[in-house]
Every structure is written in structure tokens, then in C-alpha cells.
Amino acid sequence: QVQFVESGGGLVQPGGSLRLSCAASGFIFSWYAMSWYRQAPGKERELVAAITAAGSTTKYVDSVKGRFTISRDNVKNMVYLQMSSLKAEDTAVYYCNQGYDSPSWKGSWGQGTQVTVSS
């Protein structure tokens, strides 16, 4: 079955960096776009970044442009989110899923990885 396993979160000071990883399985990874989402307490889950199947095109929510970079490894079936210049408002649980504009597997969210930006 389709599975997403996120890792790499943690507690970081404002201005710091983190690299999130997502291991995907259960489908032909290289055929599909992938995305990162986040959900802060009391807020809806939002799309943060997306990358096409070949990795040639990416997009980002305005609030992270210039600070976050999404990438993928189609050999390892992994998608990454490099986050820098982190702000308190980036604090959230981060998830990955298949798709570019919306999550393809809404019933298969992983456990997510907590990112907390605080001094």
C-alpha cells in the first residue's frame, strides 16, 4: 500500500536550518509529482512546496520562497525539503504526499515530522 514516512524535524532557533526527508513506497515514485505540506496548531494543512516527477519544475507557497528548496531522488524514492532562515511561523507538523496541486492520497498521510522554531 501507499506509504509516506517523514523524518528530520526538530527544535531549531530562528534563522536556523533543517532538512526534512520523506520516504515514499507503494507506487512508481518516478512517475509522480510530490509535495510537502504543513499543519500548524489550529490551522488547516497547507501546501508548502511541490516538485514534478522528473524534478524539473518546482513551486512554493509565497511565505517560504527563497528560504525552502524541494528536491527528490528517484533512485532512492525520496523527497526532501531543505529549510533555511527558519521563522517561528514555520512551526508545524510537516507531511509529504503524492501530487503537485493537491494530495493524491488523502487517506494515506504519514505521521509527519514536527518542526519547532523557537529561541
Side-chain angles (χ1 to χ4, degrees):
Q1 73 279 19
V2 172
Q3 190 174 20
F4 304 103
V5 179
E6 301 89 354
S7 62
L11 173 63
V12 62
Q13 292 186 343
S17 299
L18 280 175
R19 188 194 192 207
L20 306 185
S21 299
C22 166
S25 60
F27 60 96
I28 302 176
F29 183 79
S30 61
W31 287 10
Y32 297 94
M34 292 291 296
S35 299
W36 280 97
Y37 294 79
R38 67 184 179 187
Q39 187 167 22
K43 295 186 177 181
E44 292 189 355
R45 196 169 303 186
E46 67 168 344
L47 176 65
V48 175
I51 187 167
T52 53
S56 56
T57 303
T58 58
K59 67 175 181 181
Y60 301 89
V61 68
D62 285 346
S63 59
V64 309
K65 284 181 180 177
R67 301 188 297 120
F68 290 12
T69 302
I70 187 172
S71 62
R72 64 189 294 158
D73 185 329
N74 284 349
V75 174
K76 296 181 178 179
N77 290 3
M78 298 286 292
V79 60
Y80 306 98
L81 187 67
Q82 178 68 48
M83 307 186 296
S84 60
S85 302
L86 283 161
K87 305 175 181 180
E89 49 264 44
D90 295 319
T91 295
V93 180
Y94 285 71
Y95 305 86
C96 65
N97 208 303
Q98 184 193 100
Y100 195 74
D101 297 312
S102 61
S104 300
W105 296 95
K106 294 181 180 180
S108 298
W109 292 102
Q111 82 289 348
T113 187
Q114 175 71 50
V115 172
T116 302
V117 184
S118 175
S119 55

